[in-house]
Amino acid sequence: MFHAGAKSMSCRRVAGAFWCVLGLTPGFADAQAPAPAAVQPLNPTQEIARETPDGPPLVAGQTEIRIGGYLGVTGIYRSTNGGGGTGTNFATIPYGDSADGHLSETRLSAQASRLSIRVNAAPAEHRASLAGYFEMDFNGATPGNVAVTSTSVGFRLRNAFGEGQFDRRFNVAAGQAYTLMTPARDQLSIWPSDYELTHAVDMNYVAGLVWGRTPQVRFTYRPTPAFNWALSIENPEQQLGSGVVRLPACCSTDLADQYNTGNNGLAVPNLLPDIVSRIALNAGKTFHVDTGGVLRVFRHTLAPYADSTKQAGGGGSVNGRVTLAGSANVFGQFAYGAGLGRYIGGLVPDVAITADGSIHPIRASSWVAGVEERLSTHASIAFYDSGVKTDASYSTDTDGTSIGFGYPGAPKADNRNIHEVTGVFAWQPWKIEGRGSMQWTTQVSWLQRTPWSVGSGPSSAEAILFFTQLRYNLP
């Protein structure tokens, strides 16, 4: 890590006049010179904004405006050709009996580059405050020939929300943000860096992580740092995935139009918003636990369209963390539910449907266990074990064929298990307070998925994932 400083004796002890000309002192080269108190430790995660603002503001009257984000390039290697740019499609890595399963992929991408605009405003009495946050990246829709010449990747909305705080206890927020089901790092907060999202470079994080960014209205009560409670009303979306759930022959077209199968856009006729509630408990900075659940309602109608079928579903999750010696975090996350699939990164379909039109939420569980060690203010290392397990949910159609999810002879898209082991190293070679920093993060993962029905092909699909990202963090 570097910090701005005068040309001192330490300047003459390192690589000649080069650093002296820049007016920088490389802190890691001089063990006798501690980092200044004002220097913040490395943030090894993808997320760039926490509730307490960082960086110098542009002051406009009673408001503070901050431009944030980072610019950089990500090197990607996968041992099988799963595609997906900077986000891995964990549920669809190819099997070895296909061409893609025998070919690796290598690419460079700037899609992870990120831009944010933050506005903070506080009235004179300071009993209430307002904040707004808008964050974008370039992982949106891309044309088929995107990588040939101009690499014109699509601009994408990530977060866009406003928040009001009252008496330091009550928070009201509205907009698009991480679902309240996402594990919290400390206090229950809507700000991206306040979630336990791992240090992974992969923009889909790790398989098994509970997360999503959804439009919502959230109410949070934080009477003390030791206890928080929040309630969120979130945008629903009942989903089956593409080619994963076999529907009854009588009405497959009607049903496919009423569930998100990857091509429905915003046309799914959801009944009610998802209702999420969560509590968090903290013992200083040493121990944290948060737990909560989501209530969902699935619905469809069939010919002659005289009535509709409804079924409740959802699930719960718990996240716990212990901080050791002030620098190492050991944490575990576990989620389980019937109809929870959308919240597990969309890796599991929400429901299966029988020949009489009944809705059966699919049971699934997921986990993330990790150790994160801060080696210094400019380096960290992390290891994670994560994954998803599903239950089969199938029945017999009127013609005697099997329908649903995970039936004997089901397509290999019906995953029984997904498992990932991940290691991450992050290093901040230099930082200039108020001017930004340079950051290098590398991730290596082993990924495996196992289908419900093997047939005559391979019993599993495996891939080695490698990401290395060099980025300039805006101040």
Side-chain angles (χ1 to χ4, degrees), residues 63-79:
T63 64
E64 296 179 344
I65 301 172
R66 290 175 172 84
I67 308 298
Y70 50 79
L71 313 172
V73 67
T74 304
I76 305 165
Y77 168 83
R78 298 185 181 95
S79 62

Side-chain angles (χ1 to χ4, degrees), residues 275-286:
I275 308 299
V276 185
S277 184
R278 199 161 198 87
I279 63 169
L281 304 172
N282 297 287
K285 297 296 182 181
T286 303

Side-chain angles (χ1 to χ4, degrees), residues 125-196:
E125 65 270 17
H126 295 293
R127 295 189 62 187
S129 64
L130 296 172
Y133 185 67
F134 191 49
E135 181 183 283
M136 303 77 70
D137 68 11
F138 299 87
N139 255 346
T142 56
N145 63 348
V146 61
V148 176
T149 306
S150 63
T151 316
S152 301
V153 292
F155 206 39
R156 181 179 73 159
L157 174 68
R158 284 176 59 89
N159 294 283
F161 61 84
E163 180 186 52
Q165 296 189 8
F166 308 95
D167 292 328
R168 301 181 182 273
R169 294 187 178 186
F170 301 96
N171 291 23
V172 179
Q176 179 165 304
Y178 282 94
T179 169
L180 184 56
M181 285 293 289
T182 311
R185 188 180 297 276
D186 186 11
Q187 307 289 298
L188 294 182
S189 165
I190 201 167
W191 294 86
S193 289
D194 293 335
Y195 293 103
E196 196 78 84

Side-chain angles (χ1 to χ4, degrees), residues 19 21 57-58 65 67 70 166 168 177 189 195 252 256 300 302 354 364 384 423 434 457 472:
W19 298 116
V21 171
L58 301 172
I65 301 172
I67 308 298
Y70 50 79
F166 308 95
R168 301 181 182 273
S189 165
Y195 293 103
S252 59
H300 63 243
L302 300 176
T354 56
Y384 308 99
Y472 163 54

